[in-house]
Amino acid sequence: MRQLYINGTIYTMANEKDKYDGVIVNDGKVESVLKKEEISQLHKEDFEVIDLNGGTMIPGFVETHIHVMGTGVWLSSVILNGETDIETVKQKIKQKAQSLEAGEWLIAEGYDENLLNGIRLMKEDLDELCKDNPVIVKRVCRHAAIVNSKALTVLNIDNQIKNPDGGSFEKVNGQLTGWVYDTAMEPFEELSLNEDEQSLTKHLENAIDYLYQYGITGAHTEDLGYYDDYKDVLNAYKRVIGNNDNQKPFKVRLLRHFSVYEQMIEEEASFVEGWIEPDAMKFYADGAFGGSTALMKEPYLDKQNGENYGLAIYTQEEMNEKVKLARKYNGAIAVHMIGDKACEMVLDAIELYPVAEGLRDRLIHISTLNEDLLERVSKLPVICDVQPQFITSDFPWVEDKLGSERARYLYPFKSMLDLGIIMGGGSDSPIETPNPMLGIHAAVNRQTYGESGGYYTEEALSVFEAIRLYTTQASEIAQTSHCTGMIKSGYEADFTVLDHNPFEIKPEALATIRAIKTIVNGEIVYESV
């Protein structure tokens, strides 16, 4: 039976003023959008009538950069995100330690010393909380972590260890502190994430249910290459997502980590059209601001460890080889890039080895820019995955690391849009909370909810522009703008229904808006109580 959605305000996102009073859905597609007078002429008994209860319907939110499986794993870990009291942090870790079996890893996520008055836990602290099990406490940026002595022992690492390429082991007076950065933390992550297909399936189910609560109908995710076998991850996706009775309707595009990219192509890994689609080859160019490992053209101002420019995961030559690998298979790349030097290196590589016509390389985070880099990006066939919440997480402390001149070009979203650069919004969950309304609030206000002022507000977006990051611009990134991203006849019936109208509420209150319904292909997958 056809569905009729009424008693709400429907924004098609064709433009800010294009709004309607009803929508008819037939077989998972939008049949028509209606004004009140058109609704009054319908025979309601011919439809399944769905009351929006005064809510505001927009096209379904899509996260363009997230780790869906990683979010599921995060949900099962010790969650430290947002904690501001070090004793609470310690208590959470200690309590979890008491429930572990022998040899089981303790994983904690979201540690942020900037919220803890700069207090940095060390391995000795973790040893006191949990000495018999290996522990990894991941910093909120996921480019640094603290491990305990047991974890170091499991990997046979002692004070003589040398830094790997693209990473480092922090030492004081030649002694390991327990802090590991970027590639140095990868072996710990790999051991701690010893998940089988069954547990991955459960993590994925939990993650999708969690994302539904925020009105998210689909995501561009990067999970392949982090668990023992990419096949386990891919099979979990195939088991969980789809349109069968025991599956969850959710649409994903899977970035393929470079470590499994060639293998997946040669083994002819299969996907599910319309639900699980393959995407570009992913790799990292640098680290993050939190650990001062984002690669910068000029050194950081906080010289705790002497002159520091951050970490280059690869040399320019090695990065060029990564791009050539993708091009060998006629593919695009997707690159994590935070610092301006990392951005410059990536642009150099893709200018040297252009992407095939019709494809677009994906620049992830692209946090630190300047006028020259902006101009170069605007002339290339690229798409940009940005995370507006990074504004609220990084400021004001990032200015102490970079200075105001460079901080002015952190997350310059307005300048990017004005240059015609295609941008999609994401949270990088579990780095940030996967709530698009928090991202929209950050993009519009450039400030944390509840605080006044804003950081470099000349780069603020309008509400319409910010919502587009998660709707129409997300469809541009997926190259599906012919059938998704708007509420339009013939388009897929993916909707998010909000409890307040974002175009009418005060901008500083955008973060308080909640999703009350999430609809995928005409199926209501979430409804708030």
Side-chain angles (χ1 to χ4, degrees):
M1 179 178 260
R2 291 187 296 168
Q3 299 169 317
L4 174 63
Y5 293 83
I6 56 172
N7 294 333
T9 303
I10 292 98
Y11 287 89
T12 69
M13 291 303 292
N15 60 65
E16 187 172 344
K17 296 182 179 180
D18 195 39
K19 60 182 181 178
Y20 291 81
D21 304 294
V23 176
I24 294 175
V25 171
N26 188 13
D27 195 26
K29 300 286 181 67
V30 175
E31 183 176 296
S32 58
V33 290
L34 309 167
K35 294 289 189 179
K36 284 183 179 178
E37 54 270 23
E38 295 172 302
I39 296 172
S40 65
Q41 297 173 12
L42 297 173
H43 297 288
K44 302 291 196 316
E45 60 272 16
D46 294 336
F47 300 91
E48 175 192 359
V49 178
I50 299 171
D51 194 335
L52 297 177
N53 297 309
T56 298
M57 176 188 280
I58 59 175
F61 284 141
V62 173
E63 281 254 347
T64 61
H65 186 68
I66 188 174
H67 305 272
V68 176
M69 187 70 76
T71 297
V73 173
W74 170 78
L75 289 168
S76 68
S77 71
V78 179
I79 299 175
L80 303 177
N81 298 69
E83 289 293 348
T84 58
D85 178 58
I86 193 63
E87 294 306 317
T88 301
V89 168
K90 290 180 179 179
Q91 184 59 34
K92 282 188 171 186
I93 295 171
K94 185 175 182 179
Q95 186 174 356
K96 180 68 174 180
Q98 295 169 350
S99 68
L100 298 177
E101 298 179 3
E104 186 178 357
W105 279 78
L106 188 157
I107 303 173
E109 297 265 11
Y111 179 86
D112 188 353
E113 73 280 3
N114 292 302
L115 301 178
L116 298 164
N117 296 318
I119 297 173
R120 300 171 78 237
L121 291 175
M122 299 294 179
K123 66 179 173 63
E124 291 80 10
D125 299 306
L126 298 185
D127 291 344
E128 290 183 10
L129 301 171
C130 181
K131 67 177 181 179
D132 297 325
N133 293 76
V135 177
I136 178 170
V137 178
K138 300 178 189 178
R139 195 186 179 282
V140 66
C141 63
R142 276 194 164 189
H143 285 265
I146 321 125
V147 297
N148 69 345
S149 296
K150 184 71 173 181
L152 291 167
T153 301
V154 168
L155 271 80
N156 297 314
I157 292 173
D158 59 24
N159 292 324
Q160 308 309 312
I161 189 72
K162 304 296 183 184
N163 288 335
D165 292 338
S168 65
F169 294 90
E170 184 180 84
K171 297 179 183 179
V172 174
N173 298 324
Q175 304 294 307
L176 291 166
T177 67
W179 277 84
V180 292
Y181 297 89
D182 288 289
T183 58
M185 66 183 284
E186 290 177 1
F188 299 96
E189 287 190 294
E190 290 171 6
L191 271 185
S192 66
L193 294 175
N194 186 20
E195 306 277 0
D196 58 21
E197 192 174 318
Q198 183 177 358
S199 61
L200 290 171
T201 297
K202 186 62 176 177
H203 289 319
L204 189 56
E205 289 173 337
N206 291 341
I208 292 174
D209 286 340
Y210 178 64
L211 298 177
Y212 282 157
Q213 297 176 44
Y214 295 115
I216 297 171
T217 62
H220 300 201
T221 180
E222 202 248 316
D223 300 298
L224 303 169
Y226 296 103
Y227 306 89
D228 191 41
D229 190 335
Y230 84 80
K231 298 183 189 69
D232 291 340
V233 181
L234 186 55
N235 287 338
Y237 271 98
K238 291 178 180 178
R239 181 177 289 111
V240 173
I241 291 175
N243 58 0
N244 294 327
D245 290 341
N246 61 341
Q247 292 180 302
K248 296 180 182 295
F250 193 76
K251 299 168 183 178
V252 294
R253 302 188 70 86
L254 300 180
L255 296 178
R256 291 165 287 177
H257 193 270
F258 80 90
S259 62
V260 298
Y261 179 76
E262 193 166 26
Q263 180 187 358
M264 293 183 72
I265 292 175
E266 292 181 351
E267 293 180 352
E268 298 182 347
S270 63
F271 301 86
V272 182
E273 186 176 358
W275 296 104
I276 305 168
E277 301 278 5
D279 214 298
M281 187 189 85
K282 164 74 184 294
F283 63 93
Y284 290 78
D286 64 345
F289 288 131
S292 298
T293 57
L295 188 62
M296 306 301 297
K297 291 168 67 66
E298 300 295 332
Y300 287 86
L301 299 182
D302 55 335
K303 298 183 179 180
Q304 298 172 352
N305 301 309
E307 196 166 65
N308 174 31
Y309 289 80
L311 280 173
I313 304 298
Y314 303 107
T315 65
Q316 185 68 62
E317 292 73 22
E318 290 169 336
M319 184 176 294
N320 293 348
E321 289 301 313
K322 287 285 182 294
V323 176
K324 287 171 67 177
L325 173 61
R327 304 302 191 237
K328 173 183 174 182
Y329 295 99
N330 198 36
I333 60 168
V335 194
H336 163 113
M337 42 197 280
I338 300 283
D340 51 5
K341 181 60 178 177
C343 180
E344 183 178 83
M345 291 175 68
V346 173
L347 297 186
D348 286 347
I350 62 180
E351 287 170 349
L352 186 61
Y353 300 104
V355 71
E357 186 174 353
L359 296 179
R360 293 182 292 204
D361 290 320
R362 184 186 288 250
L363 310 181
I364 300 171
H365 309 315
I366 192 166
S367 303
T368 317
L369 293 166
N370 54 46
E371 291 185 5
D372 176 62
L373 290 173
L374 279 165
E375 188 67 23
R376 289 177 68 184
V377 171
S378 72
K379 293 178 179 178
L380 290 168
V382 296
I383 50 185
C384 297
D385 297 337
V386 300
Q387 292 69 46
Q389 287 185 74
F390 283 7
I391 299 170
T392 59
S393 296
D394 290 353
F395 284 103
W397 57 265
V398 74
E399 284 187 288
D400 294 333
K401 289 177 178 281
L402 302 183
S404 58
E405 185 175 345
R406 286 184 291 183
R408 160 64 183 86
Y409 282 99
L410 280 178
Y411 317 113
F413 300 150
K414 185 64 175 176
S415 294
M416 295 169 78
L417 283 185
D418 287 348
L419 285 168
I421 296 170
I422 299 171
M423 296 192 304
S427 64
D428 202 12
S429 176
I431 307 302
E432 301 286 353
T433 303
N435 180 354
M437 287 311 308
L438 295 181
I440 290 164
H441 179 278
V444 171
N445 296 284
R446 295 185 69 88
Q447 181 56 276
T448 302
Y449 171 65
E451 296 184 5
S452 59
Y455 300 104
Y456 303 98
T457 54
E458 58 267 39
E459 295 293 349
L461 301 184
S462 70
V463 173
F464 181 72
E465 289 169 333
I467 293 176
R468 289 188 75 227
L469 298 180
Y470 300 88
T471 54
T472 53
Q473 289 272 294
S475 293
E476 285 286 342
I477 284 180
Q479 295 184 301
T480 58
S481 56
H482 61 287
C483 62
T484 69
M486 288 197 292
I487 301 177
K488 183 177 179 180
S489 178
Y491 278 48
E492 294 173 9
D494 300 339
F495 311 132
T496 300
V497 183
L498 305 172
D499 63 351
H500 289 88
N501 189 328
F503 296 103
E504 295 181 355
I505 200 171
K506 292 181 178 179
E508 56 269 25
L510 285 165
T512 67
I513 295 178
R514 297 183 304 109
I516 55 175
K517 282 185 176 67
T518 305
I519 299 106
V520 183
N521 276 28
E523 179 180 342
I524 299 176
V525 296
Y526 169 77
E527 196 163 12
S528 65
V529 178

